[in-house]
Amino acid sequence: MNIKMKYVERIGSYYYYRRAGKRRPLKGDPGSPQFLKDYAKAENEFKGVPFGVTDSFAGVIDDYTGSPEFKGLSEGTRKNYTIYINKIRPVFGPASIHDIKRKHIRDFRRATPKAGNQMIRVFKAVLGWAVNNDIIEVNPAVGIKMVKEGEHIPWPEPLIERFMSEAPAHLVWVVAVGLWTGQRKERVLGVRWDDITDGVIHFAAHKGGNEVWVPVLPALDAVLSTIPKKSLRILTDRRGRVWKEDLF
C-alpha cells in the first residue's frame, strides 16, 4: 500500500518537488527524514507557511512524541508506542495528515494482523493528539473495530502498566513473553532458551498449529535479560520450577 505524494518528480536517481513551473531538490530516499524535511519545506514555501510548520504525518508524529502528552505516558507505554510508530512512519510519514483516511488505516491493519490492534491504538493516540491541537477536525482511527482476540477481553493499557510494575517477577516474565509475541499460553510456557537465535524466538508447532518465528522486540529483550536461567525453559515459577499449563 502506497500513499502518493503530490508534486514529486523523479529524474534518474534524483527526486524533485515540482509545482507551478518551479523545481526544488529532495535529498535522500523517499520516506527518509531528510526527504520528508525537504518535501515539507518545499510544500510550505508554496503555501506561504513558515518552514518548520508541517502537516505531513511524519511531522505530526514528531510533534506528538515531543509533546507533554506523550512524555507524560509511562516509560513502558512510550517504548511500546515508539515500536509501532517506527512501523507506521515509513508508510504514512510522507502523506499529508489530511489525506489519511479510515480505509488506509484498515488496509494497513490487514497487512499487519498480529500487531493490528496495537497499531490502531497508536493511530488513535497520534491522530487524537492532532485533533486536540486543531490540526485535523476528525480522528479517522476512531470507530475502527479491533480484531477479535478469542474469548478474553484484552487488558487496557493502564492495567498492563500496573501489572508490569507491581506483580511478582515470575508472573511479569510470563505476561511479557505473551504480550510481546502474541502467542497462546501453552506455547509461551513451553518456550526454551535455545529457541532464541539471532534475535528471533522460534515457537514449535503445538496441537495442530504451525511453527512460528517472532522477532524479539526491545521491550521483551529488556525483560528476558532479567530472567535467571534456572531451567532449559525460559519461564519458571517463583521456586524455579517449570510451569504446568493447568496451574497458570
Side-chain angles (χ1 to χ4, degrees):
M1 179 188 63
N2 293 315
I3 299 178
K4 295 183 179 180
M5 300 176 70
K6 295 180 180 179
Y7 311 114
V8 173
E9 175 184 51
R10 180 176 181 177
I11 300 178
S13 59
Y14 298 97
Y15 291 88
Y16 299 89
Y17 182 99
R18 183 170 182 176
R19 186 173 179 180
K22 297 181 180 181
R23 183 185 291 163
R24 300 289 182 269
L26 302 174
K27 299 177 183 177
D29 296 323
S32 68
Q34 184 60 54
F35 186 93
L36 299 177
K37 181 178 180 181
D38 289 349
Y39 182 89
K41 184 176 181 179
E43 182 100 322
N44 290 332
E45 179 181 330
F46 280 92
K47 291 181 178 179
V49 179
F51 177 60
V53 178
T54 174
D55 66 354
S56 74
F57 193 66
V60 173
I61 286 174
D62 290 339
D63 290 341
Y64 169 66
T65 54
S67 70
E69 290 86 348
F70 182 78
K71 293 179 179 178
L73 299 173
S74 71
E75 182 180 0
T77 299
R78 292 198 305 273
K79 288 182 178 179
N80 184 269
Y81 275 24
T82 299
I83 289 169
Y84 291 96
I85 282 173
N86 289 340
K87 296 177 183 295
I88 293 169
R89 182 191 291 270
V91 178
F92 289 86
S96 166
I97 192 171
H98 301 286
D99 293 336
I100 296 175
K101 308 300 181 185
R102 187 170 296 175
K103 177 183 183 300
H104 298 137
I105 300 173
R106 282 201 303 262
D107 288 347
F108 189 66
R109 196 256 309 274
R110 293 191 189 101
T112 55
K114 290 184 179 179
N117 286 350
Q118 189 60 19
M119 291 287 191
I120 298 301
R121 294 185 185 100
V122 172
F123 269 114
K124 285 181 178 178
V126 176
L127 295 168
W129 180 88
V131 170
N132 291 337
N133 285 272
D134 299 321
I135 299 172
I136 54 177
E137 294 184 1
V138 177
N139 183 341
V142 171
I144 296 179
K145 295 182 179 179
M146 296 292 188
V147 176
K148 290 184 178 180
E149 299 177 342
E151 298 178 357
H152 302 287
I153 299 175
W155 287 6
E157 201 70 35
L159 182 57
I160 293 175
E161 294 172 9
R162 182 176 178 183
F163 181 90
M164 300 298 275
S165 63
E166 299 180 7
H170 63 287
L171 297 179
V172 169
W173 302 335
V174 179
V175 171
V177 175
L179 179 65
W180 287 311
T181 65
Q183 300 305 301
R184 299 182 69 86
K185 179 181 69 174
E186 55 270 17
R187 280 186 163 179
V188 168
L189 296 180
V191 70
R192 298 160 51 108
W193 287 109
D194 57 9
D195 289 327
I196 302 178
T197 305
D198 297 328
V200 175
I201 302 180
H202 171 237
F203 290 92
H206 186 86
K207 294 183 179 179
N210 297 323
E211 57 183 340
V212 178
W213 288 264
V214 180
V216 178
L217 299 175
L220 176 57
D221 189 46
V223 173
L224 291 174
S225 68
T226 68
I227 302 177
K229 296 184 179 180
K230 297 181 178 181
S231 168
L232 293 176
R233 292 192 185 182
I234 295 174
L235 301 170
T236 57
D237 64 17
R238 60 189 178 88
R239 293 188 176 89
R241 298 177 300 190
V242 172
W243 282 102
K244 295 182 179 179
E245 291 183 23
D246 59 345
L247 295 180
F248 186 82

